[in-house]
Amino acid sequence: MLAPKALPPAAAAKLAIWSDQTGTPYLVQQQPDGRITFTPLETALAQASPPNPPERVTTYREPLNTVLLGIAVVLGFVLSGYLLGFLAGAAGQRVVLVPRAPLCDTHRSSFLFWSSETKECN
């Protein structure tokens, strides 16, 4: 007959874990009145700590926070554009506007022997 496996007994401990010949672990408890109870370890662990329900994580944001965040992002883009222009000007780069050639539209019309031509320039 095989000897049951057990943890070394502690002097002041009222709990121990034993296993039977098949290897099933049991929690051994000594009650205050002196009697000893054997509880399967799975059952004892299930009773000791019930599983905590998972916490629900929501990604919902307050509408005001979303609006303020959007305003801050737009303002950041505008200010970064001004900062980039300032730094480019400080580095000696200049922005020059070159006027383009005027666009002219020519209208031609003719009727029998008479013809006319008009130019419109913008």
Side-chain angles (χ1 to χ4, degrees), residues 88-104:
Q93 297 180 4
R94 299 288 179 243
V95 177
V96 178
L97 295 176
V98 178
R100 63 180 185 178
L103 296 176
C104 296

Side-chain angles (χ1 to χ4, degrees), residues 25-103:
Y26 289 94
L27 177 66
V28 181
Q29 291 179 313
Q30 183 178 3
Q31 301 296 330
D33 60 359
R35 55 188 178 104
I36 297 175
T37 58
F38 292 87
T39 309
L41 189 59
E42 292 179 8
T43 307
L45 290 175
Q47 291 173 354
S49 61
N52 294 334
E55 293 183 21
R56 184 172 177 170
V57 178
T58 60
T59 56
Y60 175 74
R61 289 197 171 130
E62 296 281 331
L64 180 62
N65 289 348
T66 305
V67 169
L68 291 177
L69 182 64
I71 290 172
V73 167
V74 169
L75 188 62
F77 279 129
V78 169
L79 291 178
S80 64
Y82 280 118
L83 179 66
L84 185 65
F86 174 76
L87 293 177
Q93 297 180 4
R94 299 288 179 243
V95 177
V96 178
L97 295 176
V98 178
R100 63 180 185 178
L103 296 176

Side-chain angles (χ1 to χ4, degrees), residues 108-122:
R108 292 184 182 132
S109 63
S110 62
F111 181 72
L112 293 176
F113 298 106
W114 180 71
S115 65
S116 68
E117 185 175 302
T118 57
K119 264 189 174 178
E120 291 180 12
C121 294
N122 293 333

